[in-house]
């Protein structure tokens, strides 16, 4: 790293740093599971940081089987903290977790609502209406940084809440999209609706199970793209009707897709999609020198675009000195 010359920063002007801070996305729910919420999203310009400050990149929520999705972890730049995305709800409680953006509701009965997001960082997850006549278990999608997750019901589906666009790294990309909710139906109904998709910003696709019918692959939800790394599609794991939710895209803060959790007599349990890890990006005018020091616990790259020096932190935590 280039050493900073003494008093270089102050004489030029009070330096300003553009920042993007995205927390880890929440995992989808692990049985009749809703989609995970996108990680909290904050962007802006800071001139109030100290000479030494902390950077932390939040991990995505870990995938689950049978239980509510795990929340993502917070990301930090100096005094700015974003909240990890909320995990998707499951059968039988249906309740999702709050977070940067909230998780989508699981399915069992009634019309449960999705969980709330954090004001200024994300939106609520979607709810659902259970159809008891057809035992049609469609679940809510996770909220995203740019909007609420889809609320679904009988013969309806949607997608995770949209992410938000930023071009801080020189490329216009979406961040912190919500994960798609899962769908469980009986093949004897003749229905072939798809599970909900992940949203732009790295949301993972929800998975679909048709009990007694292995021909469900085309009906898994798609992962969300237009991101640093796209969310994964929901995916079949055998020919019995079991399926896994798609993972949120790495370093996007995207929520994971829900798992429908079809089980006995086939034995294999599906898992939900994990949340995508977060990211911290700092950009400032190239008239200023490189950062003086970056802790060894941080994984980062340094690039240049549009007359700015850009530091992209993708893992770890530690101190940074200007």
């Amino acid at each position: 790293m280039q050493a900073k010359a003494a008093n270089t920063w102050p004489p030029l002007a009070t330096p300003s740093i553009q920042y993007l801070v995205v927390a880890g996305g929440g995992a989808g729910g692990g049985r009749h599971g809703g989609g995970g919420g996108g990680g909290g999203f904050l962007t802006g310009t800071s001139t109030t940081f100290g000479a030494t400050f902390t950077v932390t990149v939040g991990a995505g929520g870990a995938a689950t089987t049978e239980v509510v999705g795990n929340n993502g972890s917070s990301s930090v730049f100096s005094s700015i903290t974003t909240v990890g995305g909320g995990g998707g709800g499951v059968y039988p409680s249906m309740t999702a977790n709050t977070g940067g953006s909230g998780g989508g509701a699981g399915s069992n009965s009634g019309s449960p609502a999705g969980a709330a997001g954090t004001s200024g960082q994300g939106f609520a997850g979607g709810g659902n209406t259970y159809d008891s006549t057809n035992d049609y278990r469609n679940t809510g999608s996770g909220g995203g940084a740019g909007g609420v997750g889809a609320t679904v019901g009988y013969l309806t589906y949607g997608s995770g809440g949209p992410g938000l666009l930023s071009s801080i790294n020189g490329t216009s990309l979406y961040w912190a999209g919500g994960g798609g909710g899962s769908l469980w139906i009986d093949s004897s109904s003749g229905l072939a609706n798809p599970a909900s998709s992940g949203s732009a910003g790295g949301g993972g696709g929800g998975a679909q199970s048709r009990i007694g019918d292995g021909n469900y692959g085309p009906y898994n939800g798609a992962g969300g793209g237009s991101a640093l790394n796209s969310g994964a599609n929901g995916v079949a794991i055998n020919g019995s009707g079991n399926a896994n939710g798609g993972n949120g895209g790495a370093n996007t803060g995207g929520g994971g897709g829900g798992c429908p959790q079809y089980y006995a007599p086939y034995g294999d349990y599906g898992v939900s999609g994990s949340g995508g890890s977060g990211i911290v990006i700092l950009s400032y005018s190239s008239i200023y020198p490189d950062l003086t020091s970056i802790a060894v616990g941080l994984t980062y790259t340094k690039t240049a675009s549009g007359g700015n020096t850009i530091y992209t932190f993708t893992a770890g935590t530690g101190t940074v000195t200007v």
Side-chain angles (χ1 to χ4, degrees), residues 119-310:
S119 178
Q121 297 192 20
F123 288 82
N128 65 77
T129 299
Y130 171 63
D131 183 81
S132 58
T133 301
N134 297 284
D135 195 15
Y136 188 93
R137 299 178 184 270
N138 206 358
T139 68
S141 294
V148 299
T151 292
V152 296
Y154 183 60
L155 301 183
T156 65
Y157 63 98
S159 63
L164 280 177
L165 192 66
S166 172
S167 57
I168 189 171
N169 66 350
T171 303
S172 292
L173 298 171
Y174 284 89
W175 307 89
S182 67
L183 171 62
W184 185 96
I185 55 179
D186 190 325
S187 63
S188 64
S189 68
L191 299 173
N193 290 72
S196 294
S197 297
S199 183
Q208 189 228 63
S209 286
R210 300 208 310 165
I211 182 171
D213 180 2
N215 183 27
Y216 58 92
Y219 310 115
N220 287 305
S226 302
L228 183 67
N229 294 293
S230 295
N233 300 340
V235 62
I237 60 175
N238 60 27
S240 66
N242 295 325
N244 294 338
N247 295 332
N251 297 121
T252 66
C259 169
Q261 192 54 39
Y262 180 61
Y263 53 106
Y266 301 105
D268 290 331
Y269 287 76
V271 297
S272 68
S274 61
S277 52
I279 199 165
V280 175
I281 301 178
L282 307 178
S283 176
Y284 61 85
S285 172
S286 297
I287 64 174
Y288 296 106
D290 293 346
L291 298 174
T292 302
S293 66
I294 298 174
V296 295
L298 285 163
T299 300
Y300 72 97
T301 58
K302 189 192 82 168
T303 56
S305 177
N308 280 4
T309 299
I310 302 165

Side-chain angles (χ1 to χ4, degrees), residues 23-26 35-42 71 81-88 95-105 113-127 141-149 161-162 176-178:
F41 173 105
L42 288 172
N71 282 21
T81 300
T82 52
V83 179
T95 303
N97 291 341
T98 61
S101 288
T118 299
S119 178
Q121 297 192 20
F123 288 82
S141 294
V148 299

